Amino acid sequence: MRDYDFTEIILPAAETRPVMSKPPALQATRKWVQQVEVAVSECTRPDGSLDTEVLADWILNAMEQYGARGAEPMFTMDGDGPRCSHCGAMWSLCGHHHTSEVLDDGEEADCA
């Protein structure tokens, strides 16, 4: 699995918004734009055309890995669980414990 560098990729929202309103639109930093440019160059065929299928896969995998960074085991209000907070599957069966950045040291090994 490709590792992505997600540090400093989103510019903080400049606007203030009322509590409980929709989040503001995100804006990419130059760093993220450069990572996308590399991905686009890697998805460009020798004839200069863009392999949009490969690029779409790259985008989906980056989104998945970004979201999975915050995965942790959770229980539902009905007491079901532990379930993955990212995908809802039974915790550690989905594999998101491998990419979570919120688990304590050694916790990944306990869940594997």
Side-chain angles (χ1 to χ4, degrees):
M1 178 183 289
R2 180 177 176 167
D3 289 326
Y4 300 93
D5 181 6
F6 294 118
T7 57
E8 301 175 1
I9 64 167
I10 300 171
L11 293 172
E15 64 186 65
T16 58
R17 63 184 179 92
V19 175
M20 304 275 303
S21 64
K22 290 183 179 180
L26 301 177
Q27 185 177 357
T29 62
R30 183 69 193 143
K31 178 181 176 180
W32 183 248
V33 171
Q34 289 170 338
Q35 289 185 54
V36 171
E37 287 172 345
V38 168
V40 168
S41 69
E42 291 173 354
C43 296
T44 302
R45 297 182 183 113
D47 67 0
S49 64
L50 185 62
D51 189 336
T52 54
E53 191 172 319
V54 173
L55 182 59
D57 288 344
W58 179 87
I59 293 167
L60 287 176
N61 283 299
M63 289 170 44
E64 163 67 16
Q65 200 168 27
Y66 182 79
R69 294 176 335 145
E72 58 187 330
M74 61 162 204
F75 287 85
T76 67
M77 295 299 285
D78 295 327
D80 296 330
R83 297 216 176 258
C84 176
S85 63
H86 179 64
C87 72
M90 291 301 297
W91 181 248
S92 86
L93 295 181
C94 64
H96 287 126
H97 61 284
H98 294 292
T99 56
S100 176
E101 294 180 1
V102 297
L103 300 178
D104 295 332
D105 289 338
E107 208 168 352
E108 176 185 333
D110 294 341
C111 297

